[in-house]
Amino acid sequence: MTLGRLPSVALAAILVAAPGLIYAAMAQTQSDTPAPDRGRGAIIAAQGTASGAPACALCHAFDGASDGSGAFPRIAGQPASYLATQLGYFASGVRNSAIMSPIGKALSAEDVAAVTAYFAELDVPFLPLAQPDETLVKAGQELAKVGNAARGIQACDNCHGPEGAGEPPVIPYLAGQYASYIAFELQMWQSGYRTSSPEEMAPLAAKLTAEDVAAVAAYYQQVRGSDAIVAPQ
Amino acid sequence: MVKVSRRTVLKGVGALGASVLPIAAASGAAEAQQAPTPEAQPAAPAPTAPPAPAPSSTAPSYTYLFFNTDEAAFIEAAVARLIPKDDQWGGALEAGVSNYIDKEMASGWGAGERLYRSGPWQAGTPSQGYQLAFTPAELFRTAMRAINAELSQTPFAKMSPADQDTYLKGLQAGGKDLGGVPSAEFFAELWEATIEGFFSDPVYGGNQDMLSWRMLGFPGAYASYYDLVDQHGIKFDRAPTSLAENIHGHITLDPGIPARSP
Amino acid sequence: MADVLQSVDVVTIGVGLTGTMAALELGKLGLKIVGIESGAPRETVPDFQSPAIHDELRFSIRKAMMQDNVKQTVTFRNSSDQTALPIRRWQSFLPGTGLGGSFVHWNGQTYRYQVADFIYKTHLAERYGANFVEQCGPELIVQDWGVTYDELEPHYDRFEYLLGTSGQAGNINGQIVPGGNPFEAPRTRGYPTPPMKEPYFGAIFRKGADSLGYHPYPQPSSNLSQPYTNPEGLELGQCVFCGFCERYACEHFAKASPQTTMLPVLLKMPNYELRTNCQVLKINLDSTGTQATGVTYADATGHEYEQPANLVLVTAFPLNNVRMLLVSGIGKPYNPTTGEGVVGRSYSYQTTGGATVFLDESININPYMASGANGTVIDDFGGDNFDHAQLGFIGGQYVGAIMTSGRPIENHPTPSGTPAWGLEWKQAVARHYNHTILVGQYGTSTSSRLNYLDLDPTYKDAWGMPLLRMTFDFPENDIRMSQYIADKVVQIGQAMGGTSIIRGGTTRPYTTTVYQTTHNAGGAIMGADPNTSVVNRYLQSWDVHNVFSLGGSAIPQNAAYNLTDTVGALTYWALDAIQNQYLKSPGPLVPK
């Protein structure tokens, strides 16, 4: 795993699926909760569940890198807690997706724990990128690392970690995430369709222009946490 | 700039299980203890803090900019007693505290920045605080010269640990003059600098590999806990993050010449 | 010598909390205003962003946001028979510098004073008899403020809505509201935003305090619990509990400061001009000494300018306000021998202390998940909320678990008996770091005839001006008060499950070598009598009517609480008088 910012297995392991109960469980029963079954998680990823959830791999690929179209986010190495919370949001309607909402509802608590633990531990290469638009990347980098004074926008890295590496267990990595996914989600916040993190992400997204969204998405997509790709000094 | 990879550090000290571990774990061999496999039962709250990479058996080597050879020998030996290593965690020497103090002394801090330096000087009451004419660099140099002269037969670094502790306690107790520096004042400054070097961000040349942060469970510079603060009592053991960290898990700093403050 | 500039309507000496408020308020009237700030300009973006802003060594230890002692400091002694010596490095208190002043690095703790605090002398005499204060300490000075809580309430309200303060009201128009502070002075409405989330240390304190019958409530915080748009149209963010507030600036726009609540509006005003890195040397008076003509200042190159102005607002840190009046010859300096004179008299501070409560290893406090103003407090021992008749002291302290961070250079507690260094120390630090709660006491500092500020006869600042000399020790009254409450805090610590407790409480002598608080108060106090105050009830100089001295320097005695909210309320109160009375008819607002 090259992202280097993952929660310890201990933390990931004690997560259970139901959002809102997650941390209560962590607080009170951390020694009682069985570790999630990553092997079972792998099976769900590959085959889906009898309760009607299709295989994750259909869109996210078995290794969590997804298909590269950018329609589906990269989830490999994303904190299990974050993934479980989002699945809960899809189930409860905080997030809405024709594809993900039924899946969120179909997965049991144990399924969620297993499958998120499975994806969280994956370290997979990034798919090749088209030549990025340097101007756009530069503008995105400015927003991501510095912010914008005139419009009161703080640096994304304040919460998403150095170069978007994430701050597990709650805050996801952005580094290497598909630009079209980042842009789409920011637009969902702007339009009010995405209601998770309403007091953190929604006010920030509201301050971004379409150009900002494209820029910050383009920037993070090409930040890649692999030692094989070291950015020039 | 030199990129110090935590992975490199980890390999360098031969930490356990690196080959089977996600690199995430490299930042805290923490995870190595805690079940890299799904079969394990990692959820029990750790009764003790996760271990550091095994304390190095050889003293690290630094490019000292301020300390001469004798001074460096004293400082390294002294900080090693002030915060010793144990079988779980390295101490001040392993954390690079001598390097931290050296860089501070060589910098504006050593030269007395942010220190009101106008006379007249006179001894004050304890509640009036520091009233010596020495800058920190002058104070360290003057005191160490006196110590090394006093101990010319058996230098501090060659003493037994027990004798070293006795000598340091003598400095701390005060009453000894070190070339114009009261020994208790020197000890207080040395201890303060040791604390700073042990606990400050690695960019300043101490707390290398975030040793003390991992010992405490302090998550470091990147910090955003809105969703966690009311989850009372959780065991939070995210690997710490330094100011100079990047996506690769590297801490971008020159181990010899780090950033300086302020 | 000095270049004479074009005259303006208003000049503010300092652009921190009060200087920004004044310029914004008077700027809206169209007045031409110049703000002179000794420090550098700075903004949330790019100056306060991660990762650089989370550097404990640079900001907490090296104190990068504080005034540079090389240029200017304060001399100090405990009593007038000693020789004052310079505070060569800030430790006990931390005056800020730079645009926004200390209101950038504050913690955000936002308390109102109580009804009795403003009529302290009258109140104590009525409740305990005319001789009670004298019996508690013949050196004590207790005064009424010349303004009442009811007069200030609308200004408190307005200030809190400027900041977006997060809290739980305890008393709305006399109705006690559950969950808030039942001792609080009546508010006309609740806080603009709900209280912050309660961290674990606050919850444990709450349980302990509850079990003893006390009244815990969430500390009012100007690190916001949710996004907020203030009346100036500025958007503040939500605090993420990063644990880097006090001595730091906020990267999230979540802590109220001039940068987040006022400056973006002010700096766009064409009739406002900000001059940074400029040190005001003195206020100039006309030949009669009863009217100010403006100020003289030096820019960063040392070049001197005279800035004429119709109205001079002294808006620096409280200690610097007093020094400015002294070097300018405004008001009669206090003479501790005769008791005559007013400038520098009634300098007070804040008593601090508290217990360190060590808990079982199974209890993870995670102290780094914190904000500068989160946590849970009780006011059962605040001010005059408890009967002092048999206690032999006046005053009180609020008590609470309001840990502001887990930054390790500053926070590595060890139980009593732990060696000061070495292996045992290290292992104790590792053992207790995540399982320890600090329960603080913060309270009254009673003014005294023995404590005062004047100009140092020996030491100078970088511009050749005399340093301010502070003569201060806590009166025995305050020690008795704090030690009495320290016993109560130990009981709370036991109720919290403390396996080992280090008792705190204020002690003598006061020392400049340990951080206590930056709530330096008084020295240019307000009042109804020109013989015992520097400024009248509108913060206007009794002697020079076009000089107003705004800020904590006006507070006659520190009545327990952190004073920012009261400074804000007093400033709005004074600005209201300037706008509605003074500008219409310049002259003394209260006959001398």
Side-chain angles (χ1 to χ4, degrees), chain B residues 85-100:
Chain B
K85 69 176 176 185
D86 54 38
D87 53 11
Q88 206 176 2
W89 297 102
L93 181 63
E94 292 74 24
V97 167
S98 58
N99 182 49
Y100 164 83

Side-chain angles (χ1 to χ4, degrees), chain C residues 124-324:
Chain C
L124 291 174
E126 281 175 3
R127 185 167 180 183
Y128 303 113
N131 296 326
F132 188 67
V133 172
E134 175 80 14
Q135 288 159 9
C136 292
E139 78 282 23
L140 302 179
I141 306 177
V142 168
Q143 287 186 204
D144 293 353
W145 295 41
V147 66
T148 64
Y149 174 80
D150 287 346
E151 288 174 312
L152 284 183
E153 202 286 334
H155 304 286
Y156 269 124
D157 179 88
R158 189 175 168 208
F159 186 62
E160 288 160 4
Y161 275 73
L162 178 81
L163 307 190
T165 305
S166 300
Q168 169 63 54
N171 179 342
I172 296 182
N173 295 320
Q175 296 291 312
I176 300 301
V177 182
N181 176 13
F183 300 100
E184 86 173 342
R187 325 163 53 82
T188 47
R189 55 175 170 165
Y191 288 94
T193 51
M196 301 188 88
K197 289 183 175 184
E198 185 168 64
Y200 198 20
F201 51 79
I204 293 172
F205 173 84
R206 173 183 294 279
K207 208 171 154 189
D210 257 337
S211 74
L212 296 172
Y214 301 134
H215 300 86
Y217 69 99
Q219 176 173 238
S221 165
S222 293
N223 308 307
L224 303 198
S225 60
Q226 62 183 43
Y228 176 73
T229 302
N230 79 0
E232 301 298 337
L234 297 175
E235 294 174 33
L236 283 85
Q238 174 183 268
C239 171
V240 303
F241 297 87
C242 74
F244 291 86
C245 283
E246 148 191 66
R247 310 189 188 187
Y248 300 78
C250 180
E251 71 271 33
H252 299 284
F253 297 86
K255 175 166 75 175
S257 67
Q259 277 76 356
T260 53
T261 62
M262 294 178 278
L263 279 170
V265 177
L266 176 64
L267 295 176
K268 284 191 188 115
M269 287 185 174
N271 50 331
Y272 180 73
E273 188 189 341
L274 171 67
R275 296 186 196 146
T276 49
N277 294 310
C278 291
Q279 177 82 1
V280 176
L281 304 174
K282 64 171 176 174
I283 300 166
N284 302 314
L285 303 180
D286 70 6
S287 56
T288 68
T290 59
Q291 189 154 343
T293 57
V295 302
T296 297
Y297 70 91
D299 72 7
T301 70
H303 192 90
E304 290 188 12
Y305 297 88
E306 189 183 324
Q307 175 62 67
N310 296 329
L311 185 58
V312 175
L313 302 181
V314 191
T315 56
F317 191 75
L319 297 172
N320 293 342
N321 278 2
V322 176
R323 191 175 81 132
M324 186 55 57

Side-chain angles (χ1 to χ4, degrees), chain A residues 4-5, chain B residues 3-16 18 23-31 50-56 60 62 88-97 99-100 197-220 238-245 248-255 258:
Chain A
R5 305 266 52 81
Chain B
K3 287 195 156 199
V4 183
S5 167
R6 292 205 224 145
R7 173 183 290 173
T8 312
V9 171
L10 193 73
K11 283 177 180 161
V13 296
L16 36 149
I23 266 301
S27 54
E31 291 87 344
S56 173
Y62 297 107
Q88 206 176 2
W89 297 102
L93 181 63
E94 292 74 24
V97 167
N99 182 49
Y100 164 83
F198 193 61
F199 289 120
S200 62
D201 196 281
V203 288
Y204 293 104
N207 193 16
Q208 301 214 343
D209 200 30
M210 299 181 278
L211 184 158
S212 71
W213 292 358
R214 287 183 290 105
M215 178 181 92
L216 298 178
F218 176 67
R238 185 194 89 187
T241 320
S242 159
L243 289 173
E245 197 145 326
H248 307 290
H250 295 287
I251 296 171
T252 308
L253 66 96
D254 186 311

Side-chain angles (χ1 to χ4, degrees), chain A residues 3-77:
Chain A
L3 283 170
R5 305 266 52 81
L6 298 180
S8 74
V9 175
L11 190 52
I14 54 180
L15 297 172
V16 294
L21 296 178
I22 290 174
Y23 301 111
M26 291 163 75
Q28 291 156 14
T29 63
Q30 45 183 287
S31 55
D32 309 328
T33 310
D37 183 346
R38 287 189 62 218
R40 177 176 167 193
I43 293 169
I44 296 170
Q47 300 176 5
T49 64
S51 59
C56 313
L58 290 175
C59 297
H60 292 286
F62 185 60
D63 66 3
S66 301
D67 64 4
S69 69
F72 310 105
R74 179 184 166 94
I75 56 174

